[in-house]
Amino acid sequence: MPENTNNRQRTRRKAQAPIDNNYGHLQPQAVDIEKVVLGALMIDKDAFTVISEIVHPETFYDPRHQKIYQAIQTLNMSDRPVDIMTVTEELRKEGTLEEIGGPGYIVELSSHVASSAHIEYHAHILQQKYLARQLIQFASMIETDAFDETADIDELMQKAEGRLFEISQTNMAQDYQQIDPIVDEAQRILREASKTSGLTGVASGFTELDKITAGWQPSDLVIIAGRPAMGKTSFALSIAKNIAVDNRVPVAFFSLEMNNVQLVDRIISNVCSIPGNKILNGDLTQDEWERLDSNIGRLKGAPLYVDDTPGMSVFELRTKARRLVREHQVKIIMIDYLQLMNANGMRFNSRQEEVSTISRSLKGLAKELNIPILALSQLNRTVEQREGPDGKRPQLSDLRESGAIEQDADMVLFVHRPEYYRIFQNEKGEDMHGMAQIIIAKHRKGATADVTLKFIKEYTEFANPDDDDFTQTINESSDDGGFLGGEIMGSKMNGDVPPLPDGDLPEGDGSPF
């Protein structure tokens, strides 16, 4: 057989060989449907309203169609009519008419469409194709980075999680709802509140605070802010103890500042009425050992879940929070503190932008899980620079790094201890030794107010000022020479106590550890 014949047969066999579907894939697309959607938009003035939240210029695969949709979008946003002539003129003004194929292509798009009856269905198809293209691009990026042996895998995972979060947020749509089922749910909550002394949320354990807030409400983002040494962490841990230990309601506590043992040490000090420095050095009296043994059982089995992952990203928090709610029925999440979080995997021009994204993400997570999220936040140094008693009182403008925190929060509370600034009387003339003010500066669902609580730095504890069950005095002749602190809450022993020493309180929240 001649050589050329053999070559032709081999070529024919190669041509008939099956195509390997693992290579040469076309990007997900529906160009014909893109034409139908654009045509419908030019014959029906109301069509754009139907799909404007579903479709964006980048949703289209064909670059020409992206430019045409952009022109239609511009016309609609400026309340101008949309038809063949106005779209053509807008493209001419933008200098892109010839790039899309001239006026003839615009006429062609509208000539094959009779109505816009199915435009929403078609728009959803385009959205799905666009999402598929984004996921392919995302997977390709992760695959390329994963093959890089110099890449840090932990950073790569956070980058992947951040990018996936961006994709999901961009394509997430919330549909409207008729009011009847919402009215029924509001009535149900109202009836439940009437049976529980007005509480519709998770009780904080602080009487006056709960009267104002009706408890921590589902889907709320609550910011607890203050300067260093005010006792933000102690306040949050007191709330966690009241909810999880005393009432057995599941709580998740994410600590980005302290490790798990330090957190539990604080709770042990609180529950067992043992000063924090003694929890650290183990120098307990016989009486304190007995208190430890008799009270430590209250902590065992408490539905309190603690995570001390340092530098946690908001995306990692989201993953863990979903699992905690699903597997352990957690009813409230607490974060100490917001400025130590990051949004790795996303690009920002400034730290303020990143904090804004974290704040919005926390609010979105609270709504998604339908539980309250309490996030601690730092204040800037403006408080320290202001003069006078009123000047030391924190304000919303003092929130550190981002105004978005104030905007996103449903409630903003400030932890303020006037005695730290040597202010021993409030505006009503009341004694503020050993007292703290919880200032409700923003309350989207109710009134703003000040709530006064007792703060016992030895036990890192906040308590109701008139709760006799917590009040004690310690005998001066006890083996350890007595406790510091005036009236001390947390135990039921009686005796005398030396007064609080004057002078600056220690750093941190004023506790011994």
Side-chain angles (χ1 to χ4, degrees):
M1 183 180 293
E3 188 176 345
N4 328 346
T5 305
N6 288 336
N7 288 338
R8 281 197 298 272
Q9 287 177 344
R10 280 197 297 271
T11 302
R12 191 180 299 114
R13 282 197 296 271
K14 286 180 182 178
Q16 294 171 350
I19 296 173
D20 187 347
N21 289 324
N22 292 319
Y23 299 93
H25 284 171
L26 287 173
Q27 288 273 303
Q29 57 183 283
V31 175
D32 288 340
I33 293 179
E34 290 181 7
K35 293 179 180 178
V36 170
V37 168
L38 292 173
L41 288 170
M42 288 187 283
I43 66 170
D44 184 351
K45 64 182 179 63
D46 296 322
F48 181 79
T49 306
V50 176
I51 69 164
S52 60
E53 293 185 7
I54 305 170
V55 174
H56 306 283
E58 62 271 17
T59 307
F60 292 85
Y61 178 75
D62 191 323
R64 298 175 301 170
H65 298 163
Q66 292 180 5
K67 292 180 174 65
I68 295 169
Y69 184 80
Q70 181 69 61
I72 293 171
Q73 190 178 53
T74 301
L75 290 168
N76 273 280
M77 298 303 286
S78 56
D79 290 325
R80 287 182 283 167
V82 178
D83 55 36
I84 297 171
M85 298 302 295
T86 56
V87 172
T88 300
E89 185 58 34
E90 181 64 27
L91 289 165
R92 182 179 287 113
K93 187 190 302 182
E94 294 174 1
T96 57
L97 182 60
E98 296 308 316
E99 292 179 33
I100 62 94
Y105 190 65
I106 302 298
V107 173
E108 180 187 337
L109 289 175
S110 59
S111 63
H112 298 294
V113 181
S115 76
S116 63
H118 305 295
I119 191 168
E120 186 173 6
Y121 176 75
H122 292 149
H124 279 294
I125 293 175
L126 297 187
Q127 183 194 45
Q128 293 298 306
K129 298 293 184 184
Y130 170 61
L131 180 56
R133 293 197 300 273
Q134 283 187 301
L135 290 173
I136 290 169
Q137 183 184 29
F138 164 74
S140 176
M141 176 193 74
I142 296 302
E143 181 181 27
T144 301
D145 290 346
F147 273 111
D148 182 358
E149 294 186 0
T150 64
D152 184 285
I153 297 302
D154 290 334
E155 287 185 9
L156 178 57
M157 289 179 66
Q158 291 212 359
K159 181 179 178 182
E161 196 171 12
R163 178 60 184 140
L164 194 58
F165 175 75
E166 280 187 285
I167 293 172
S168 65
Q169 288 295 102
T170 302
N171 294 279
M172 188 186 303
Q174 181 70 37
D175 206 356
Y176 51 79
Q177 188 177 3
Q178 200 274 335
I179 196 172
D180 289 358
I182 306 172
V183 172
D184 293 340
E185 177 64 11
Q187 280 186 307
R188 184 192 67 76
I189 293 172
L190 184 59
R191 291 193 186 97
E192 289 297 320
S194 68
K195 300 174 186 175
T196 56
S197 304
L199 287 176
T200 55
V202 179
S204 70
F206 299 119
T207 309
E208 289 303 315
L209 185 59
D210 285 336
K211 282 181 183 177
I212 297 168
T213 64
W216 308 119
Q217 298 297 311
S219 81
D220 274 7
L221 173 61
V222 180
I223 299 297
I224 299 173
R227 287 291 294 154
M230 289 299 105
K232 298 184 298 296
T233 301
S234 295
F235 181 55
L237 284 173
S238 291
I239 294 172
K241 189 269 293 184
N242 293 343
I243 296 172
V245 178
D246 296 343
N247 295 316
R248 288 322 206 215
V249 175
V251 176
F253 197 105
F254 291 89
S255 175
L256 286 77
E257 188 171 34
M258 295 189 296
N259 65 39
N260 288 343
V261 175
Q262 289 173 319
L263 283 174
V264 173
D265 279 347
R266 286 194 172 207
I267 297 175
I268 291 173
S269 173
N270 184 317
V271 169
C272 301
S273 301
I274 300 172
N277 62 322
K278 293 197 170 191
I279 296 291
L280 282 178
N281 60 34
D283 185 20
L284 276 63
T285 64
Q286 181 61 36
D287 178 65
E288 288 164 347
W289 280 115
E290 290 174 2
R291 280 211 301 279
L292 179 69
D293 292 339
S294 62
N295 287 292
I296 198 73
R298 292 173 58 196
L299 292 176
K300 297 293 182 65
L304 178 57
Y305 303 92
V306 182
D307 187 310
D308 62 355
T309 305
M312 181 182 294
S313 74
V314 69
F315 316 115
E316 188 178 357
L317 172 72
R318 176 181 292 270
T319 301
K320 292 181 176 181
R322 285 170 173 163
R323 190 167 72 246
L324 283 161
V325 170
R326 183 177 64 250
E327 297 178 4
H328 301 288
Q329 291 73 54
V330 161
K331 302 301 182 187
I332 184 169
I333 290 172
M334 309 179 80
I335 303 163
D336 183 15
Y337 59 89
L338 187 149
Q339 279 85 4
L340 290 179
M341 298 188 72
N342 63 67
N344 284 355
M346 299 175 69
R347 294 178 294 275
F348 303 98
N349 294 322
S350 67
R351 174 61 178 164
Q352 286 188 342
E353 285 186 16
E354 185 173 18
V355 171
S356 298
T357 297
I358 293 168
S359 175
R360 284 194 303 272
S361 298
L362 291 178
K363 175 56 184 174
L365 182 61
K367 288 185 68 176
E368 175 192 335
L369 300 178
N370 197 35
I371 62 172
I373 292 181
L374 276 58
L376 277 59
S377 176
Q378 290 280 19
L379 297 180
N380 58 42
R381 288 192 171 92
T382 309
V383 177
E384 312 297 338
Q385 297 165 2
R386 295 196 294 258
E387 298 296 331
D390 291 338
K392 301 305 180 186
R393 182 182 171 91
Q395 304 170 8
L396 288 171
S397 58
D398 297 328
L399 283 168
R400 185 172 168 185
E401 288 187 313
S402 178
I405 298 175
E406 175 189 347
Q407 179 182 329
D408 295 328
D410 296 280
M411 194 183 306
V412 177
L413 279 63
F414 293 120
V415 181
H416 178 52
R417 291 197 292 122
E419 77 170 344
Y420 179 83
Y421 298 105
R422 296 180 174 277
I423 301 169
F424 302 111
Q425 281 190 337
N426 64 11
E427 63 277 2
K428 298 178 182 177
E430 297 170 337
D431 184 15
M432 296 305 291
H433 284 88
M435 307 300 283
Q437 289 179 321
I438 306 302
I439 302 168
I440 304 176
K442 177 185 178 182
H443 189 189
R444 191 168 279 160
K445 300 175 182 177
T448 58
D450 293 359
V451 176
T452 302
L453 298 177
K454 284 192 176 180
F455 175 66
I456 307 91
K457 65 178 182 295
E458 290 77 18
Y459 304 152
T460 64
E461 179 182 14
F462 282 76
N464 291 306
D466 56 351
D467 193 342
D468 293 334
D469 290 339
F470 285 96
T471 305
Q472 70 158 354
T473 52
I474 305 297
N475 196 318
E476 278 185 288
S477 61
S478 64
D479 293 338
D480 60 348
F483 293 89
L484 294 174
E487 277 193 316
I488 300 179
M489 325 273 259
S491 181
K492 301 182 180 178
M493 299 176 61
N494 294 311
D496 297 324
V497 187
L500 243 176
D502 288 334
D504 288 341
L505 295 173
E507 283 301 314
D509 56 15
S511 66
F513 69 115

